[in-house]
Amino acid sequence: MILKGEKNVEKNKKKKLNKTLIEKMLDQQKIPYKQLQFATVQKGDVKQMDTSILDDEEALVYKTLVCEGNKNSPVVGVVPVTEHLSMKKLAKASGNKKCELLPLKKLVATTGYVHGANTPIGIYQKHHFPIYLDSSMKEHDQIAVSSGEVGRSIMINPDDLQKVTDATFVDLLEK
């Protein structure tokens, strides 16, 4: 799959990107992926990827949100960057009565990743937290998720992502 404006997203082939730990894990498991690199922008205290060059394909980029539940915690929801996570739907799927976003100050201690670098693959491999993937990703052959560093992502098949994270597909979008 080729993203519109991909020449702006991916570095020149001559200037090969170093692999992230997540990419090395996928290589070991022989799971195909494609490296992506986005510019980052500072928003308050955190850096975020600038996905604006993707136009209508921005919905192919998924964010990883770590939440606390009242019974089972933490839980991880993965939704398009263009959408909002329904805390009620995540709570129901994870066996909680309610969920809320994990406070930013607890993020690194809980996941090992800074804001903007959380990846469902690394979180599952390191902590085995339950992962819930929004079912909308099954509509695409390839989607992008973080590869563990701010500004770095991978394009991966949703079924491969599900297998490597032992995730559950469920409707997570706020309507």
Side-chain angles (χ1 to χ4, degrees):
M1 157 167 242
I2 303 217
L3 291 174
K4 188 190 303 178
E6 190 166 342
K7 23 184 186 300
N8 297 327
V9 175
E10 191 176 308
K11 289 288 184 192
N12 185 332
K13 296 286 182 199
K14 293 177 190 170
K15 194 173 184 182
K16 193 170 181 172
L17 293 172
N18 290 330
K19 292 192 177 196
T20 66
L21 185 58
I22 299 308
E23 293 163 350
K24 291 175 184 175
M25 272 191 245
L26 293 173
D27 287 345
Q28 288 175 341
Q29 297 180 36
K30 299 193 180 345
I31 296 173
Y33 65 90
K34 182 175 183 179
Q35 292 178 307
L36 299 174
Q37 183 169 9
F38 294 90
T40 58
V41 292
Q42 190 76 30
K43 292 196 176 177
D45 293 340
V46 296
K47 279 189 177 179
Q48 295 181 339
M49 289 188 330
D50 179 7
T51 58
S52 62
I53 63 167
L54 298 176
D55 298 327
D56 57 332
E57 293 171 333
E58 192 174 16
L60 294 178
V61 179
Y62 281 70
K63 58 188 172 186
T64 304
L65 300 170
V66 183
C67 301
E68 292 179 313
N70 65 313
K71 292 181 182 176
N72 306 312
S73 193
V75 295
V76 179
V78 183
V79 299
V81 296
T82 56
E83 302 291 337
H84 294 285
L85 172 66
S86 167
M87 292 297 174
K88 285 183 180 183
K89 290 178 181 178
L90 181 61
K92 184 177 179 184
S94 63
N96 287 294
K97 286 194 186 274
K98 68 179 200 169
C99 283
E100 57 187 37
L101 279 176
L102 186 75
L104 196 55
K105 63 185 176 193
K106 290 183 173 182
L107 196 59
V108 174
T110 303
T111 68
Y113 295 97
V114 297
H115 181 276
N118 277 284
T119 169
I121 299 166
I123 292 171
Y124 181 76
Q125 295 296 321
K126 190 172 184 179
H127 303 288
H128 292 285
F129 297 155
I131 310 288
Y132 298 90
L133 305 174
D134 183 64
S135 52
S136 68
M137 74 172 57
K138 292 194 293 184
E139 299 167 12
H140 308 288
D141 292 333
Q142 299 280 305
I143 54 97
V145 293
S146 173
S147 62
E149 294 176 12
V150 177
R152 293 288 302 276
S153 293
I154 53 166
M155 291 296 292
I156 188 169
N157 177 279
D159 290 326
D160 288 339
L161 179 62
Q162 184 275 328
K163 287 175 195 155
V164 77
T165 59
D166 195 29
T168 303
F169 285 111
V170 64
D171 174 24
L172 294 174
L173 301 184
E174 185 100 4
K175 301 289 181 198

